[in-house]
Amino acid sequence: MKIGIIGGGSTYTPEVIEGFIIKAGDLGLTEVVLMDIDGERLRVVGDFAKRMVKHAGNPFKLTTTAARVEAIDGADFVLTQFRVGGQAARHEDIMLGLRHGLIGQETTGIGGMAKALRTIPVILDICADVEKRAPNAWVINFTNPSGLITEAILNHTGVSRCIGLCNVPIDMKMMIAKHLGVDDADVQMDSVGLNHLGWVRRVIVKGEDITARLLDFLAGEEGPKNIPDIQYNPELIRALGQVPLYYCRYFYNTPSVLAELKAKKKSRAQEVMDIEKALLAQYQDPNLATKPKELEQRGGAYYSKIAVEIVEAIAGDTGAEHTVNTRNEGAVPDLPASNVVEIPCRIGRDGVTPVPTEPLEPSIRALIQAVKAYEELTVEAALKKSRAAAFRALITNPLGPKSERASDVLDDLLKTNNLSYS
Amino acid sequence: MKIGIIGGGSTYTPEVIEGFIIKAGDLGLTEVVLMDIDGERLRVVGDFAKRMVKHAGNPFKLTTTAARVEAIDGADFVLTQFRVGGQAARHEDIMLGLRHGLIGQETTGIGGMAKALRTIPVILDICADVEKRAPNAWVINFTNPSGLITEAILNHTGVSRCIGLCNVPIDMKMMIAKHLGVDDADVQMDSVGLNHLGWVRRVIVKGEDITARLLDFLAGEEGPKNIPDIQYNPELIRALGQVPLYYCRYFYNTPSVLAELKAKKKSRAQEVMDIEKALLAQYQDPNLATKPKELEQRGGAYYSKIAVEIVEAIAGDTGAEHTVNTRNEGAVPDLPASNVVEIPCRIGRDGVTPVPTEPLEPSIRALIQAVKAYEELTVEAALKKSRAAAFRALITNPLGPKSERASDVLDDLLKTNNLSYS
Amino acid sequence: MKIGIIGGGSTYTPEVIEGFIIKAGDLGLTEVVLMDIDGERLRVVGDFAKRMVKHAGNPFKLTTTAARVEAIDGADFVLTQFRVGGQAARHEDIMLGLRHGLIGQETTGIGGMAKALRTIPVILDICADVEKRAPNAWVINFTNPSGLITEAILNHTGVSRCIGLCNVPIDMKMMIAKHLGVDDADVQMDSVGLNHLGWVRRVIVKGEDITARLLDFLAGEEGPKNIPDIQYNPELIRALGQVPLYYCRYFYNTPSVLAELKAKKKSRAQEVMDIEKALLAQYQDPNLATKPKELEQRGGAYYSKIAVEIVEAIAGDTGAEHTVNTRNEGAVPDLPASNVVEIPCRIGRDGVTPVPTEPLEPSIRALIQAVKAYEELTVEAALKKSRAAAFRALITNPLGPKSERASDVLDDLLKTNNLSYS
Amino acid sequence: MKIGIIGGGSTYTPEVIEGFIIKAGDLGLTEVVLMDIDGERLRVVGDFAKRMVKHAGNPFKLTTTAARVEAIDGADFVLTQFRVGGQAARHEDIMLGLRHGLIGQETTGIGGMAKALRTIPVILDICADVEKRAPNAWVINFTNPSGLITEAILNHTGVSRCIGLCNVPIDMKMMIAKHLGVDDADVQMDSVGLNHLGWVRRVIVKGEDITARLLDFLAGEEGPKNIPDIQYNPELIRALGQVPLYYCRYFYNTPSVLAELKAKKKSRAQEVMDIEKALLAQYQDPNLATKPKELEQRGGAYYSKIAVEIVEAIAGDTGAEHTVNTRNEGAVPDLPASNVVEIPCRIGRDGVTPVPTEPLEPSIRALIQAVKAYEELTVEAALKKSRAAAFRALITNPLGPKSERASDVLDDLLKTNNLSYS
C-alpha cells in the first residue's frame, strides 16, 4: 500500500506519520511519499519523519518529493492537507474581514470563501492527476474549508472515491466523554450538518440516551463555563434540543465573536506562525525521533487518529462508523442527493454509506441550505472565474455583507488574493 | 353566487365592491355579505357600499353583519381581509423592531412575525367555520402576511380550496408596462418566490423577450431613479439576471431601509391611520356613491382587480394565468411539494395549477428556504403556543436577531402582543 | 378512556376485547362501544363480549349500537375493522379476477381495488364524523386494504391522527423467532415497503445481525419447505439480500399463485364463511365467557396484540417501536413525503415518527412506486367516481390487465360492485 | 470543427453525411472521420461517402480508420452509432425473447437488456478515450438503447457533455404535421418520458392548442387505421388525455405485439439484413454520389436531421428546442435530478437545459419509474458483471419474466451473449 501526502511539509505531518507507524502492519503499508512545494519545510519535516520511521524499525519506506505526480502515481490513498498561500494568506483573510466589519475565519465567513477560491483550482489539478495516475485511489481531504473542497471534488471532478475529514466531530465526542468521565469508545454521538456547521442530535453512552441530561447541563447554571467556544444562549440549546458544534458560534453569536476578533492583538494566523516556527525548530533537532508534546497546541487534535482510522476502515473493510464529509444520497431527507454533508457513515472497501437520519429541524435546515448555496456558488465562481457567481456567493453566506455593501467587499477580496474574475 | 367578506369594514372594501359591481352579471353574483367586528367601521363602510350598489342599479344584494357565520354560511367565496389589532398593533410592530435595531415591517422581519402570531388563531377559526358551513367555498386570502397565512391554511386546516393574494406581482407588471409605454395586457411577466419575496425572471412583450433590456436599464446609469423601492445595487441585478420585487429591499438593503425607518417622524401605521380617518369621513358623505379617487393613496393598488379576476377565473373556468400563493406541488423543482409559493398559476373551476419553472438560482433559493423555514416555525409557534418554536422562528428570519440576542427580543414581542407561550 | 369499534360485529372482536380486558387498568379504559350495521351479528358478538367483560370483573363498560355517532362521540380511539359487503363481496372479487385470468385477492390485485372502491366512501364518512365529534381521537384502521385506506384518510380527510395496522410484519417476526428458537422480544426486524408489499432488510437477535444467516437458510436446500407463502425463487432472495414478506408472492410468483387459486374448490371467502358460521354458533353458547381456541384459525393472528400495544404506546407515551402505516415524511428517502408507507415507527402521545431508512434497492423501489401510483389512482377514482381514474388505476396495478384488455375488466368490476362511475 | 463517427460503417452514414454536406459552411466543419471495426463495411460506406463529399465540392475532408483514437483525437463532436454484434446479435435477442414467451425487441424488453449489456463496456471505453483525447468534445449518442446508454455515460463516466438522440419524437411530430396537413415548423409538440417510453402531452399549431382534437381523432372511429404502431385502446387515450408514442405499444398492448412477433416469418433483424445487403450493393456503384432513395426504407427516419440540428444548436449557440435525452435536473418534478429523461430541451453552447414540466400522471409516472429502475440495474450489472444485478434488472423490466421464472431466462440471456457474470 502506497500513501501520497500532498502538503507533506505541514507541521501536522509528524502526527499522521506516528499514526501510520503504529498501524503499518495492519494496513499493509509499504510506502509513504511526502510532497510539498515549500522545499525548506519539506526538508525539515521530511528529515524528521524519516527519523521517526527509522526509529520505529522502518515499517515502511518514506520519501519526499517536490513533484506531485510522484506522490500520486499508483497510490492507494492520496491525503491532501495543503494550504494555498500559507498562514500569510490566512492573516490576510482575517484582516479582510475586519476591514469590512465581517468575520474572516479560515473556514466560515468571507475568510473561508477567499481560501476556497484560492484552493479549488489546485485541488482540481490534483484530482486530474489522480484520475490519470491512480484511478483507484481514495482521496482523503483535510484541506480547509474541508466540506466545500469535498463538494468541489465529488460534484465537479471524475474522482468519486473521496472523503472529506474534519476533527470537530471527534473532538466534540472526546469533550463529551471527558465531561462524563467515560471512555470515548462507550460514547455514540449522532451529529448532522455540513463541515463546521453541525449539531449533535443524540448522545448514547453504553446504550443509555443521555441527550436530555447533556442539554440540561449545557443550558444550565453551571454550563460550559470554561469553554467559550460552546457558550451559547441557553434558550437556543433548549429550543433546539440539540447541541451546536463549536463552529456554529460564528453564526449564532456573531456580534460577540466579531468583538473578540477585533480585540485580539495577534490574529490566529500570526499565533500559528509563532507556533510553527517553534515546532520547525524543534523538528530540526537530530535527536528528536518521536512526535513532540508541543504539537498538540497546534490545534487539529485527533486529525491523525481519524485519518488512520479511515484508511483502516477502507483497507480492512471494517464497516466502522465515522463522521465524515460525503454525498448525502438521501441520508438527510431534506437535502438533495448530491449535497456533500458531514454525518455518521459506515466505511468499508466499497466506500462510504451515510447513515439515514431524521428530517432536520427547520431553523437548522435553513442555515445548512444557506451555507450549501454559498458553497455551490463559491465552487461555480472558482470554476468559471466568475465575478457574478462570487458576488452571489458573498451575499448568500450568512456571515457575508448585505447586497448593498457587497461590491466593495468583493473588490477587496479579489484584489487581496490576486484573482482576476470577470 | 354568494360572497362573504371577513373584515368587510376595511377602507379597501369600496374598491372590491366596485369590482364586483362591474362584473356581477358575468359572475352570476347575487349576494355580498360584509362582516366585521368593528361595528362603527362596518356601519360607515357598509352604508357607503350599499349606496354604491344601489347607484349601480342593485346588481346584487349587500348586507352587513357582526356574526361571522352569516357571512360564511353557504358562501361560494370567502374573502379574508382583516387586520387583528388594527393599525395600532401595526404601529407597535414597527416600534418593537426599532427598539431592537430590527425591521418591524408588517409582512417581513419581526413585525410580520408578530402579526402572523396574532392572526393565525383567527384564520384557523374562520377555516373551521368554512369547513362546516361552506365546505365547497373558496377562501381568497388578502390578510397579511398573505403567504404565511396561506401556508397555515393549506397545510394546517381541512380547507384545500384557498388562494393567497398579493398585489405586488401585478403592481410590478403595471410598473413595467408603464415604463415600456405598452399596454399591460401585452406584458407577460414570470416571477418566482414567496409572497413579498419574489424575483422577476423573464418579461415578454408581444412575444419578444425584453428581460435583458430591462435588466440593463435597471442596473444602468438612468436606473429607477424615482422609485426608491427598487433601487438595488446594480451589481446585484446583473449578477442575478433577475429583478427583485420591491419587498426584497428589506433583505438586500437592510442597513439603508433601517436607517430610513428610524428617520421617519410618523410610522407607516400612523400615516395610514390619518389616511383612513380622512377616507372614513369621506365615506360618510351621503351623496358619495362611487369609489373616491383618494382611495388609491391607501396603497394596495390593484387588489380589487386581482380579486375580481380570480373569482372570475374560478367561476367561469377560464384557465387564466395569475400570480398567486398556492402549494408548490413540484412547480419550483427545488422546494418541497407542500410549500406555499407565489408563482404564476392557471386558475379554473378545479383550482389552481402552478406553472412549472426552472430550478432556482442558488442565492435566491437559499433566501426563499430561510424565509419558508421561518414561516413554518411561526405557524408551529402559533398552533402550539410554543415559545421554543417562536425562538427558532425568530432566529431563522433573515431579518431577525442573532441567537445571543434573541431572548430579549422575544420577551418583548410576546409581551407587547399579550401572547402567553410556554 | 373511550374506544369505539366500527365493525364491532366482526368475529375478530372477542380477540380485541380479550386484549383490552388484560390491559384495561394500565390504559385507564372505561368504555368500549361496539358499532355494526349487521344487527344479528352485533347481538351475538356483543352478548358474548359482554359475558367476557363480566367474567373479567367488569374492568370497563361495554355497549353495542347501530348508530355510528354513538361509537365516535367523544372517543379517544376509533377502531375501524369493517368489511363493506361482507364475505359475499369478497367471493365476488375473487371470481371477478378468475373470470379474467387475474388475481382477485382482497388486498392486492383487482380484488383489492374493488374492495377499496367499495370502502373509501364509507371511511370518508366515518372520518367526517370523527372530525366533528371526536376531533382529538386516534383512528386505528384495520380495514383492508389497510395501507390504501390509510392513504385515503391521511391525504384526503382532515383526520391526521390515524394509524394503519396490519398483522403481517408482526406475524413474520413471530415466524422468525420461532424458526430461530428465540423469544420474539429478542428479535429486532427492520422491514420496509407498503402494506402487503414489504421486505425484511435486517434481523438482529440480541444485538447480533443474523440477516445473512437467515437469507442463506431461506435460499438454501432446506428452505421454508412447509410454508408455501414464502417459497420464493432462491435466486430472488440472494439477489435482493432481503426477505420478501409473504404477500409479495402475488407479485413474484404470479403464475403459480394464479394456478393455485384456480385449483381451489372453495374460494377463501367461502372458507371464511364456514369458519365464521361455526364461530358465531359457538359465541352463542351462554356458558362461553372467554375467547375460544378456534378463533385462531380465522387468520389475522396478532391483530389484537398489535392493536392493544398501539393504544398503549399512545396513551402511555411509551415511544415503543411498531411497524405501522403512516406518512413517509422523509423516512424512506426515495418516496415523497406524503406517501403512506409501512415501516418501523416510534409511537407516543404526539403521534407516529417513522424511523429513517436507507434508500430502497431499485427493483423494490419500482414495485413500491407502481403499487403506490395504483393506490393514488384508486383513491382518486373513488373520490371523483371517475371511470378514467379507475381505468388508469387498473392498468397501473402490477397484477392488473394490460391496457388493451382493461376496458372489459373494468366494465365487469364496476357492474359487479354496482358502481356507476363516469 | 472535427467530427468523429464511431460505427461509421453503418448503412445510415450516407444520410448523416448528406446532412453535414448541406450545413458544412454554417457549422465551420472541416473534418469528418469514419471509424469502424468492420473493415469491409467501412471500405464500402467510406468510399461512397467520399464520393458524396467530392460530388459536393469537398466542403470538408473525410477519412476512414479502424483506430478509434484517430476519430476521437481533438474532435469537437463524437457521434456513436455502432451496434455490438450487428444484426446477427439482434436476431438472437428476438429469438431469446420468443423462446421464453417474452418480447425481445432491441430497445425494450429483454432484447434491449441484452443489447445494453453488450454495449455498455464498449461505450465506457469510448468515453475514457474522449476524456483523455477530446475533453471538450460533445458525445452525441445514437446507439440503442439510446436512453439507457446515455444514462450510463452521464452517471458513470467523467463525460458530462453528452446528448442521447432518438428519432421517435421528431418522427411523431412529422406524423402529426402530416395528419393535420400543416408544415412541421408550425407544430409545437410537448412530450415527456424516457427514450422509447414517451407521451405527447400537448400539441400546439400556430399558437392554437389542438391536443383535445387530436385525442378525439385518435380515440375515435376513424382513428389511426393504417398505423398499427399507435392503435391503442381508445379508452387508454381518453383516460390519459395524452398520446403514447409508438414504442409504448410494447407495454400497453403486450399480448397483441407478442402474437405479432411470433407470427412473423422473418425477424426484424433478418429483414434489416436483407435491406442492408441491397443498400451496400448499391453503395458500391462507383457512379452513385448522392444518398439513394432506398435508404429511407431502413427505418430511423430523420436521424440525420436531428443530428445535424443538434450540432448546429451547440456550435451556433442557437438555444433551439429539441427533444433529447439528458439529465432531468428538476425538469420533471417527480423524478430524481440524476435520471436521464427524454424531454424538450433548449440547446446552446453551454449545453442542454431541459424545459420544466408539470408533474406526471401517476400511471405514466409508475411506468417510467419501473423502466428507469430496470435501466439503473442494467447499468450496474454491466459495470460490475453482476448476475444478481442482472437478475433484479430482468424482473424489474415490465416486459421481463416474473421472478419465479427469471433464472432460466437469465441463464439463456447470459449464455447467448457469452457474458460471464458472477
Side-chain angles (χ1 to χ4, degrees), chain D residues 139-178:
Chain D
V139 173
I140 312 288
N141 178 61
F142 291 82
T143 295
N144 266 331
S146 181
L148 206 162
I149 298 304
T150 308
E151 176 81 32
I153 295 174
L154 285 175
N155 287 314
H156 297 277
T157 77
V159 172
S160 60
R161 306 182 130 201
C162 167
I163 297 178
L165 291 193
C166 177
N167 67 324
V168 170
I170 195 171
D171 199 17
M172 189 75 180
K173 182 174 158 178
M174 292 299 189
M175 282 165 66
I176 291 171
K178 197 178 158 195

Side-chain angles (χ1 to χ4, degrees), chain A residues 176-191:
Chain A
I176 291 171
K178 196 178 159 194
H179 165 69
L180 298 169
V182 300
D183 194 84
D184 65 272
D186 289 334
V187 176
Q188 188 200 328
M189 181 186 95
D190 286 350
S191 67

Side-chain angles (χ1 to χ4, degrees), chain B residues 2-16:
Chain B
K2 172 180 171 176
I3 296 178
I5 303 183
I6 312 297
S10 161
T11 52
Y12 282 131
T13 296
E15 190 160 312
V16 176

Side-chain angles (χ1 to χ4, degrees), chain C residues 313 316-321 345-349:
Chain C
D317 194 24
T318 66
E321 192 171 309
C345 298
R346 283 190 291 274
I347 301 179
R349 187 175 297 128

Side-chain angles (χ1 to χ4, degrees), chain C residues 235 256 361 387 392 404 407, chain D residues 235 256 361 392 404 407:
Chain C
E235 183 163 20
S256 314
E361 186 282 324
R387 181 177 167 112
R392 291 182 280 125
E404 62 178 6
S407 296
Chain D
E235 183 163 20
S256 314
E361 187 282 325
R392 292 182 280 126
E404 63 179 4
S407 296

